[in-house]
């Protein structure tokens, strides 16, 4: 038995903050965004605003995230790019496009490693774990969420720590390693209690119920499911409530308490129908159809089988719409990437032309300096001026050429970069002094 089955919930709880649909908060962020002129601040605001649409409108979340992604890339803002990738990856995950979500989460992790942003690294790793979870690869999912747990502990984010331990326990349940599952979920429940977080308590007690059900401790499983229902009702958590009803129904069936199993399956079906949860509606209807089929009640079996079929068709249509939306956004992202590539190529050509112009100007100044330095007509002050000017231009030109390579080589260490540039300046000074001595000698020879 799985816990709250929607990937929507799995991805939403892996963030460091509780996300609630608050129109006033959205309006406030939109107003701040309209007035903000600084691009870096706009990227961070777009990331926050996109998060506000996580549970209500994944397509809007993706549009805002992509806007922040393009803006951060134009400005070379790596931390903002990583946050935007995380939001876009979450949106793709919510829309069912797991390969694209995984691609963006991995890109964000790489940027997190460059910038040292541990807060977002554990979000990305946990989200990656949930993508693998949704595809049934529980061992890889476990590896990701274990890493996320370690990082959440380092940054002392207790809520994230509870979420990662909850996901670890859930994976162990599905791998039927129940001792480890019980260890982690017990720790998660303890932390959730200390945080007094009702949302997390509803989820963690549901998982503990699954653990007990997996080990055959049905009475303890039912206790945890009922406790999870109590917490879910406090938070109006309708999806956790349905998950508990389904868990209780399966548990009662294993205990051969058919009446109770049917009762809770019908409750799950009722809540799923009222709140538009197509997947949960299908699961509860299939459970009831199989029950009545075994009881040879053909009429009831047919009714619930038809409900399951209609629900599956609806779910299929929803998934198709989401896939089309996902493809449309991917094409938009591709077009924007193409525009950005063309712009970069144009800028690169302009830089090459400018470098060529600087090199030609520098060459002309050096030639003039050499010609004047061998002339007895030109004043010594003009020769010195041209020498110093050519030296400064040459040094700045070398700095322009070497700066990107020195930055990568020294990892942008100010001390090392300064040491390299001072060394280059020293070599230039030595070269100029040697040239001056040579010129002085030539002038002396001419005068004699």
């Amino acid at each position: 038995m799985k816990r709250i089955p929607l990937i929507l919930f799995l991805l939403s709880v892996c963030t460091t903050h509780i996300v609630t649909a608050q129109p006033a908060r959205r309006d406030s962020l939109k107003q701040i965004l309209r007035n903000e002129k600084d691009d870096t601040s706009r990227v961070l605001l777009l990331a926050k605003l996109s998060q506000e649409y996580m549970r209500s409108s994944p397509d809007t979340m993706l549009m805002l995230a992509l806007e922040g992604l393009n803006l951060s890339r134009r400005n070379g803002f790596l931390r903002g790019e990583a946050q935007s990738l995380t939001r876009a990856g979450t949106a793709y995950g919510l829309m069912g496009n797991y390969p694209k979500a995984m691609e963006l989460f991995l890109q964000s992790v790489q940027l997190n490693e460059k910038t040292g942003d541990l807060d977002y690294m554990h979000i990305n790793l946990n989200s990656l774990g949930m993508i693998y979870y949704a595809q049934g690869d529980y061992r890889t999912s476990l590896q990701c969420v274990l890493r996320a747990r370690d990082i959440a502990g380092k940054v002392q984010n207790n809520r994230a720590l509870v979420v990662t331990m909850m996901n670890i326990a859930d994976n162990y349940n599905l791998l039927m390693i129940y001792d480890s599952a019980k260890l982690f979920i017990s720790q998660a429940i303890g932390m959730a209690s200390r945080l007094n977080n009702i949302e997390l308590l509803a989820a963690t007690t549901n998982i503990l119920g699954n653990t007990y059900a997996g080990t055959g401790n049905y009475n303890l499983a039912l206790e945890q499911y009922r406790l999870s229902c109590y917490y879910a009702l406090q938070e109006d958590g309708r999806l956790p409530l349905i998950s508990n009803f389904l868990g209780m129904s399966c548990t009662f069936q294993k205990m051969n308490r058919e009446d109770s199993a049917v009762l809770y399956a019908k409750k799950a079906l009722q809540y799923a129908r009222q709140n538009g949860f197509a997947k949960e509606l299908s699961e509860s209807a299939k459970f009831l159809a199989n029950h009545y089929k075994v009881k040879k009640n053909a009429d009831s079996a047919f009714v619930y089988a038809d409900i399951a079929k209609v629900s599956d068709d609806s779910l299929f249509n929803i998934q198709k719409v989401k896939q089309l939306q996902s493809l449309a956004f991917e094409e938009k992202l591709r077009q924007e990437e193409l525009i950005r590539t063309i712009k970069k190529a144009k800028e690169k050509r302009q830089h090459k032309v400018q470098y060529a112009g600087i090199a030609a100007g520098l060459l002309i100044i050096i030639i003039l300096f050499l010609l004047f330095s061998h002339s007895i007509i030109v004043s010594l002050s003009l020769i010195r001026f041209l020498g110093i000017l050519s030296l400064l231009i040459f040094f700045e030109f070398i700095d322009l050429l070497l700066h990107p390579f020195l930055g990568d080589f020294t990892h942008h260490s100010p001390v090392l970069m300064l040491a390299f540039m001072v060394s280059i300046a020293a070599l230039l000074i030595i070269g100029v002094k040697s040239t001056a001595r040579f010129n002085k000698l030539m002038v002396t020879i001419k005068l004699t």
Side-chain angles (χ1 to χ4, degrees):
M1 286 174 289
K2 294 182 182 181
R3 68 179 173 94
I4 303 167
L6 283 182
I7 192 64
L8 169 73
F9 180 79
L10 295 174
L11 288 175
S12 65
V13 296
C14 74
T15 57
T16 55
H17 305 288
I18 299 173
V19 181
T20 54
Q22 296 180 355
R25 179 178 170 84
R26 290 179 188 173
D27 292 341
S28 175
L29 286 171
K30 287 177 182 177
Q31 183 62 40
I32 297 171
L33 185 62
R34 279 193 291 268
N35 297 329
E36 183 59 60
K37 303 300 181 185
D38 180 66
D39 286 344
T40 298
S41 299
R42 286 183 62 82
V43 169
L44 298 177
L45 284 168
L46 284 165
K48 287 181 180 179
L49 183 58
S50 69
Q51 186 176 4
E52 292 296 316
Y53 289 93
M54 184 180 294
R55 290 183 177 177
S56 60
S57 181
D59 54 345
T60 303
M61 181 185 188
L62 182 56
M63 290 180 65
L64 292 166
L66 292 179
E67 185 180 346
L69 180 62
N70 292 327
L71 186 58
S72 58
R73 283 177 171 171
R74 285 201 300 270
N75 290 275
F77 182 31
L78 295 184
R79 188 164 67 91
E81 182 179 349
Q83 292 188 20
S84 300
L85 285 167
T86 298
R87 300 300 179 219
T90 301
Y92 276 119
L94 295 173
M95 296 168 71
N97 191 338
Y98 300 140
K100 189 66 178 180
M102 186 178 296
E103 176 189 339
L104 298 185
F105 285 136
L106 287 169
Q107 288 180 25
S108 187
V109 167
Q110 292 172 0
L111 290 175
N112 294 152
E113 290 171 348
K114 284 185 178 180
T115 61
D117 191 348
L118 296 181
D119 285 323
Y120 266 79
M121 188 181 292
H122 73 70
I123 293 175
N124 288 315
L125 289 170
N126 203 25
S127 298
L128 277 171
M130 294 303 96
I131 295 295
Y132 284 116
Y133 177 101
Q135 298 178 98
D137 188 352
Y138 305 123
R139 292 196 178 277
T140 307
S141 174
L142 185 60
Q143 293 173 5
C144 291
V145 291
L146 280 168
R147 285 183 62 196
R149 185 276 311 264
D150 293 340
I151 295 172
K154 285 182 181 178
V155 298
Q156 297 181 341
N157 188 323
N158 291 329
R159 185 180 189 277
L161 196 55
V162 173
V163 171
T164 54
M165 289 193 295
M166 183 171 67
N167 292 333
I168 290 167
D170 206 16
N171 278 291
Y172 275 129
N173 272 338
L174 293 168
L175 292 168
M176 294 187 289
I177 308 174
Y178 295 113
D179 289 343
S180 297
K182 187 177 179 182
L183 173 65
F184 279 98
I185 200 58
S186 297
Q187 292 176 359
I189 290 173
M191 289 192 68
S193 298
R194 289 191 292 274
L195 293 171
N196 195 27
N197 189 309
I198 305 301
E199 180 188 22
L200 292 180
L201 284 169
T204 50
T205 49
N206 173 272
I207 297 172
L208 185 56
N210 292 342
T211 304
Y212 282 132
T215 57
N217 294 318
Y218 300 130
N219 289 323
L220 291 176
L222 290 172
E223 285 182 13
Q224 293 302 316
Y225 287 139
R226 291 189 182 105
L227 183 59
S228 181
C229 286
Y230 167 76
Y231 290 128
L233 286 169
Q234 290 186 52
E235 286 287 305
D236 194 26
R238 297 172 188 179
L239 183 58
L241 204 58
I242 297 169
S243 181
N244 283 306
F245 287 157
L246 286 170
M248 293 169 76
S249 183
C250 293
T251 303
F252 278 125
Q253 186 182 54
K254 291 178 180 179
M255 297 171 71
N256 295 318
R257 294 172 59 179
E258 298 294 338
D259 291 343
S260 296
V262 171
L263 173 65
Y264 281 99
K266 287 183 176 179
K267 282 188 175 184
L269 185 142
Q270 179 186 356
Y271 270 79
R273 176 179 280 166
Q274 288 175 350
N275 295 282
F277 295 125
K279 185 177 180 182
E280 286 65 34
L281 180 60
S282 175
E283 288 180 5
S284 54
K286 286 175 182 177
F287 179 91
L288 290 166
N290 289 332
H291 169 78
Y292 285 114
K293 184 179 179 181
V294 171
K295 295 295 182 181
K296 301 189 184 302
N297 187 335
D299 291 342
S300 295
F302 177 79
V303 169
Y304 287 110
D306 188 57
I307 292 173
K309 183 179 182 304
V310 171
S311 181
D312 285 341
D313 290 342
S314 173
L315 185 63
F316 176 76
N317 290 333
I318 292 170
Q319 289 175 341
K320 292 298 289 183
V321 170
K322 287 182 176 180
Q323 287 175 0
L324 289 173
Q325 289 176 335
S326 178
L327 288 171
F329 282 124
E330 283 183 35
E331 178 59 20
K332 180 181 177 182
L333 186 62
R334 191 186 71 82
Q335 291 293 337
E336 290 175 348
E337 181 67 27
L338 181 62
I339 293 170
R340 188 165 53 252
T341 302
I342 293 171
K343 185 179 178 181
K344 282 185 177 179
K346 185 178 178 181
E347 289 176 352
K348 194 173 182 179
R349 286 195 298 271
Q350 289 176 346
H351 288 165
K352 286 182 178 179
V353 171
Q354 290 174 7
Y355 279 131
I358 293 170
L362 180 61
L363 183 61
I364 291 170
I365 292 174
I366 291 173
I367 291 172
L368 289 174
F369 170 72
L370 292 174
L371 289 173
F372 290 162
S373 63
H374 289 78
S375 172
I376 58 174
I377 301 172
V378 181
S379 66
L380 188 60
S381 60
L382 178 59
I383 295 172
R384 286 176 177 173
F385 172 76
L386 288 174
I388 294 171
L389 181 63
S390 61
L391 178 64
L392 287 174
I393 295 174
F394 188 59
F395 177 76
E396 290 299 328
F397 185 58
I398 291 175
D399 185 28
L400 281 173
L401 291 176
L402 296 182
H403 192 274
F405 305 104
L406 283 177
D408 293 337
F409 181 72
T410 62
H411 302 289
H412 297 280
S413 169
V415 175
L416 291 176
M417 291 182 72
L418 179 63
F420 273 106
M421 296 313 299
V422 168
S423 300
I424 292 171
L427 290 173
L428 289 175
I429 291 169
I430 292 170
V432 169
K433 285 186 175 180
S434 299
T435 305
R437 291 194 190 99
F438 175 76
N439 290 335
K440 187 176 180 181
L441 177 62
M442 294 298 295
V443 169
T444 305
I445 292 172
K446 285 183 178 181
L447 291 173
T448 57

